[in-house]
Amino acid sequence: MEAVRRVSPRKTPTDGAATRCTVTVCRGCCCGTAKVPGVDHAAQLAALKAALAPVAQVRAVNCLDACEHANVVVVQPSAAGRAEGGRPVWLGLVNDPDATGDIVTWVRAGGPGLAEPPDILGLYVFSPSRRVRRTVEE
Ligand code: FES
């Protein structure tokens, strides 16, 4: 079982995360649990970590307070991506391997600000409230 880290509201990137994309994978009370049936949650997180380790920080966190969108994944831009206008992208209902694969493809291509996401990912994008957004983005 993987440890889940709680994100504090004023958390800033560390250990080189600012130079790479950060992929935040919610593993709280709904995301990553049997409440989202038919998903191999452990395999999803393992696939993201294995595929993105060279190019991104992948972290599991506790509930992001957007449970109605479980499983939630947030792709935050690298420093270069942010400089090009990239902003964190919140993806919800990431409950199939194809969506996970599309996230991998996009992040490997550079992620927000540096590469266009596969069109299909647009179906997963949602906009959380400002309060929720702050838990991950600041
Ligand atoms: S458990 Fe993921 S948003 Fe609540």
Side-chain angles (χ1 to χ4, degrees), residues 25-33 61-73 90 126 132:
V25 182
C26 187
R27 286 295 179 260
C29 54
C30 295
C31 300
T33 74
V61 300
N62 211 330
C63 179
L64 293 171
D65 207 10
C67 297
E68 67 274 21
H69 298 284
N71 286 343
V72 175
V73 175
W90 289 65
F126 72 98
V132 169

